[in-house]
């Protein structure tokens, strides 16, 4: 494993900055949003949150940016959930049966159905694929940790993960 | 293109997107892979859409993870029971019993009759491995890294023996069959509840999230028990007579079941021992004094390098790679 000081990563960042902006413009479909995101990558690099040891430094920069994108997606889901929770408590406080009861009930049922669909889709995976998927996704083990735990190769782990994701994206509405 | 990335010709957009997603999440992805991925994304609008769909599914499953895992476990429980019929006891357990009789007993077990004595089912995990167990009585157990349980379910009681290890139990309610755990020099008695039991390096730690758990000295089953209820943690050292009770955030003790280690004012030596059981390289503190540094923080246990990086950021120690593992040293100067 190669040791990369933080300053080397920052150097690399400036070297690759234009390529990163090009990549995230494609991903975000907006040059302005990409500029912001690539700036955020720098903020992370320059702060103490990121440290020395990185195996593939270029890949690390791209992944850092991609994770920031996913974090933003998570944040959007959370604030949507908070809004829903607030509406629900607010409604309870009002106590009036006529206040927006229907949409919330419908929403809650849709969420339950969605959860059931996801469970069914995961449960339909072969036992080994399901084991790999759960260990990586829900137990947070890396590909090589899953491989070591199950005594299979890392490429086998990747094949199981691909099969799982493909199945989920093809079967879930 | 490194040749390891998914080709453009194979499979539909969904399959290619899945292959890229997994490849780029792997520890071995390179800068070249990302450039090849960029070319693939740009090649067709359907590619970007398929990839974004995966990302939103991925994030959706994060926010629903606890409910999803619970529902999956519930869905699996009956299947797991069918898939693992009680193992036939090995013959060597009855050296004194004649072969025909042993065969008859084996047949009885096979037919679901439970004779005495019944050999325990052994569950164990290697360092770094975490397992979810569904016992036949409906009890769910998550077994933490480097742990071992011997389980015997019989008509009058459910018995578990735990050596060095940690497990989170969600015990199915069954008033007629108490759930008894032999751990160190103590016995834990449960009717139906959820708790985390840790026995590492001679220290027992019992944290209850739901219900009541009783603990007695193993050699005095009639002694008045210590009772631990929700939000409490009991600690005890093997060989000592007393136990200590404290109010705690019970969820902290269960953090490992969702890939997090939660520490509130714990010695660094304990953190190092926990991480050693979880990752490939042994992690130790440079000396006893470093081991006594108090640590407070949440470590997400995704991979060793990242965990060590966070530990460095939170605790003011440096993780130094040496031939036989990792040594934690006091950082010379604050960052």
């Amino acid at each position: 494993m190669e040791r990369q000081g933080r300053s080397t990563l920052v150097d690399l960042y400036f070297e690759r900055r234009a390529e990163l902006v090009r990549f995230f413009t494609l991903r975000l479909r907006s040059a302005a949003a990409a500029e912001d995101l690539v700036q955020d990558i720098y903020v992370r690099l320059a702060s103490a949150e990121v440290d020395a040891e990185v195996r593939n430094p270029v890949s690390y920069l791209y992944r850092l940016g991609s994770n920031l994108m996913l974090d933003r997606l998570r944040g959007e889901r959370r604030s949507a959930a908070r809004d829903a929770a607030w509406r629900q408590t607010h409604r309870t406080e009002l106590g009036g049966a006529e206040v927006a009861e229907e949409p919330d009930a419908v929403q809650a049922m849709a969420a339950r159905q969605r959860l059931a669909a996801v469970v069914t889709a995961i449960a339909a995976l072969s036992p080994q694929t399901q084991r790999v998927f759960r260990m990586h996704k829900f137990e947070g083990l890396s590909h090589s940790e899953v491989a070591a735990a199950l005594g299979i190769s890392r490429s086998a782990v990747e094949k199981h993960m691909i099969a799982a994701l493909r199945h989920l994206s093809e079967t879930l509405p | 293109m490194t040749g390891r990335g998914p080709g453009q010709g194979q499979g539909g957009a969904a399959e290619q997107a899945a292959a890229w997603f997994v490849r780029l999440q792997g520890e071995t992805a390179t800068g070249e892979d990302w450039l090849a991925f960029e070319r693939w994304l740009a090649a067709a609008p359907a590619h970007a859409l398929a990839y974004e769909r995966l990302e939103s599914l991925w994030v959706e499953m994060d926010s629903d993870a606890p409910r999803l895992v619970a529902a999956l476990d519930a869905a699996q429980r009956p299947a797991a029971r069918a898939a693992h019929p009680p193992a036939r006891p090995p013959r060597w357990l009855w050296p004194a019993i004649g072969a025909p009789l042993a065969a008859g007993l084996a047949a009885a077990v096979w037919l679901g009759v439970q004779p005495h004595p019944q050999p325990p089912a052994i569950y164990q995990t290697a360092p770094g491995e975490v397992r979810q167990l569904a016992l036949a009585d409906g009890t769910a157990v998550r077994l933490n890294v480097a742990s071992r349980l011997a389980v015997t379910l019989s008509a009058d009681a459910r018995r578990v023996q735990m050596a060095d290890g940690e497990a989170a139990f969600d015990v199915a309610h069954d008033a007629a069959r108490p759930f008894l755990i032999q751990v160190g020099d103590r016995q834990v008695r449960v009717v139906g509840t959820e708790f985390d039991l840790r026995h590492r390096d001679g220290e027992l730690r019992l944290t209850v999230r739901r219900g009541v758990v009783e603990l007695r000295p193993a050699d005095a089953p009639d002694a008045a028990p210590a009772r631990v209820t929700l939000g409490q943690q009991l600690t005890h050292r093997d060989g000592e007579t007393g136990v200590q009770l404290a109010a705690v955030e019970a969820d902290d003790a269960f953090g490992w079941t969702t890939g997090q280690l939660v520490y509130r004012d714990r010695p660094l030596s304990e953190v190092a021992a926990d991480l050693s059981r979880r990752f490939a390289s042994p992690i130790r503190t440079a000396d006893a004094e470093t081991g006594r540094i108090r640590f407070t923080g949440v470590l997400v246990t995704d991979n060793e390098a990242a965990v060590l990086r966070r530990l460095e950021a939170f605790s003011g120690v440096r993780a130094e790679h040496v031939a036989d593992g990792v040594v934690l040293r006091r950082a010379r100067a604050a960052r």
Side-chain angles (χ1 to χ4, degrees):
Chain A
M1 197 178 278
E2 197 184 342
R3 274 193 166 263
Q4 291 282 333
R6 197 184 309 157
S7 60
T8 343
L9 266 178
V10 172
D11 291 345
L12 191 67
Y13 168 86
F14 284 113
E15 209 175 288
R16 301 287 181 130
R17 197 172 191 289
E19 284 172 43
L20 289 166
V21 171
R22 188 187 68 206
F23 175 80
F24 285 105
T25 303
L26 181 66
R27 294 250 35 218
L28 293 162
R29 301 191 182 84
S30 153
E35 276 292 344
D36 284 352
L37 188 91
V38 172
Q39 184 58 31
D40 277 353
I41 298 179
Y42 177 77
V43 171
R44 295 297 170 106
L45 284 182
S47 75
E49 285 174 60
V50 170
D51 203 25
E53 214 148 299
V54 174
R55 198 190 302 200
N56 290 294
V58 178
S59 173
Y60 181 82
L61 296 176
Y62 280 92
R63 190 173 313 157
L64 186 55
S66 302
N67 288 341
L68 290 172
M69 272 183 69
L70 287 185
D71 285 347
R72 204 157 62 184
L73 203 56
R74 278 189 194 100
E76 283 163 13
R77 285 185 62 87
R78 259 200 304 276
S79 58
R82 256 200 312 275
D83 289 351
W86 184 84
R87 275 201 305 276
Q88 213 150 7
T89 34
H90 202 63
R91 192 202 66 211
T92 316
E93 277 167 15
L94 288 174
E98 72 285 344
V99 186
E101 188 127 21
E102 194 118 358
D104 279 352
V106 170
Q107 214 171 25
M109 196 201 284
R112 271 199 302 276
Q113 283 173 348
R114 175 70 185 177
L115 187 73
V118 176
V119 169
T120 310
I122 297 176
L125 299 169
S126 78
Q128 181 78 338
T129 299
Q130 201 180 135
R131 210 167 290 135
V132 168
F133 181 77
R134 290 186 57 166
M135 289 174 93
H136 177 61
K137 177 66 189 163
F138 298 125
E139 290 167 22
L141 301 186
S142 70
H143 289 171
S144 25
E145 287 165 346
V146 175
L150 295 177
I152 59 180
S153 68
R154 205 174 50 212
S155 85
V157 170
E158 293 190 355
K159 287 196 182 95
H160 284 296
M161 282 303 301
I162 292 170
L165 286 174
R166 182 186 172 193
H167 173 77
L168 292 178
S169 79
E170 285 175 351
T171 51
L172 285 169
Chain B
M1 187 86 196
T2 58
R4 293 176 308 167
Q8 293 194 5
Q10 342 151 209
E15 181 171 3
Q16 290 174 26
W20 275 117
F21 191 87
V22 171
R23 164 104 221 102
L24 297 175
Q25 273 191 340
E27 300 100 303
T28 57
T30 63
E32 284 303 303
D33 288 334
W34 287 90
L35 293 178
F37 171 59
E38 184 179 359
R39 288 193 291 276
W40 176 80
L41 273 180
H47 291 174
L49 291 176
Y51 196 81
E52 281 161 20
R53 184 168 154 66
L54 283 182
E55 284 182 321
S56 77
L57 272 175
W58 193 256
V59 168
E60 176 189 346
M61 286 187 282
D62 286 339
S63 53
D64 291 337
R67 279 185 302 163
L68 265 177
V69 169
L72 278 169
D73 289 343
Q76 258 177 358
R77 216 166 278 172
R81 219 173 318 180
H84 305 288
R88 244 177 295 193
R91 283 190 186 173
W92 55 261
L93 274 169
W94 302 304
I97 305 176
L101 180 52
L105 271 177
V109 174
W110 192 243
L111 293 169
V113 185
Q114 307 214 325
H116 291 276
Q118 191 193 5
I122 306 295
Y123 301 97
Q124 57 188 1
T125 51
E129 184 194 6
V130 173
R131 268 182 80 184
Q132 170 79 44
L133 314 174
L135 305 183
D137 67 331
T139 293
V141 182
R142 283 175 75 94
L143 196 55
N144 203 351
V145 296
S147 301
R148 184 175 190 277
L149 293 183
V151 178
T152 313
L153 301 175
S154 48
D156 61 332
R158 300 168 282 175
R159 290 174 205 279
V160 175
Q161 281 204 314
M162 181 182 203
D164 192 73
E166 177 167 13
F169 293 85
D170 189 349
V171 175
H173 184 83
D174 186 347
R177 288 199 298 168
F179 199 95
L180 306 171
I181 306 172
Q182 201 74 34
V183 53
D185 58 6
R186 302 280 129 163
Q187 186 192 62
V188 175
R189 185 190 174 96
V190 186
V191 178
T193 176
E194 192 183 354
F195 60 96
D196 186 84
L197 179 61
R198 173 187 163 109
H199 185 238
R200 296 284 194 196
D201 307 318
E203 190 197 49
L204 184 158
R205 221 180 278 167
L206 171 64
T207 316
V208 177
R209 186 142 81 170
R210 182 163 54 75
V212 180
V213 179
E214 295 179 348
L215 181 115
R216 295 176 172 83
D219 53 7
D222 298 323
R227 291 168 66 87
V228 192
T229 64
L230 108 156
Q232 289 188 321
Q233 182 174 72
L234 176 148
T235 48
H236 163 75
R237 285 212 71 82
D238 286 353
E240 292 179 2
T241 48
V243 298
Q244 295 80 43
L245 263 185
V248 294
E249 279 296 326
D251 285 346
D252 290 359
F254 289 81
W256 63 270
T257 63
T258 52
Q260 299 181 336
L261 299 178
V262 184
Y263 297 97
R264 289 179 200 249
D265 195 30
R266 303 302 310 173
L268 198 59
S269 55
E270 179 181 322
V271 180
D274 284 348
L275 294 178
S276 292
R277 295 184 189 101
R278 192 161 298 266
F279 297 116
S281 20
I283 298 166
R284 61 177 194 271
T285 51
D287 47 44
E289 192 201 341
T290 316
R292 283 192 293 269
I293 293 177
R294 310 303 286 187
F295 177 73
T296 296
V298 178
L299 295 175
V300 177
T301 55
D302 43 3
N303 67 70
E304 185 170 11
V307 171
L308 289 176
R309 196 199 317 126
R310 287 177 210 123
L311 187 61
E312 287 180 329
F314 297 158
S315 70
V317 296
R318 295 286 310 168
E320 209 169 278
H321 290 257
V322 295
D324 60 343
V326 174
V327 176
L328 302 178
R329 271 181 216 294
R330 222 176 251 281
R332 253 172 238 123
R335 287 164 184 278

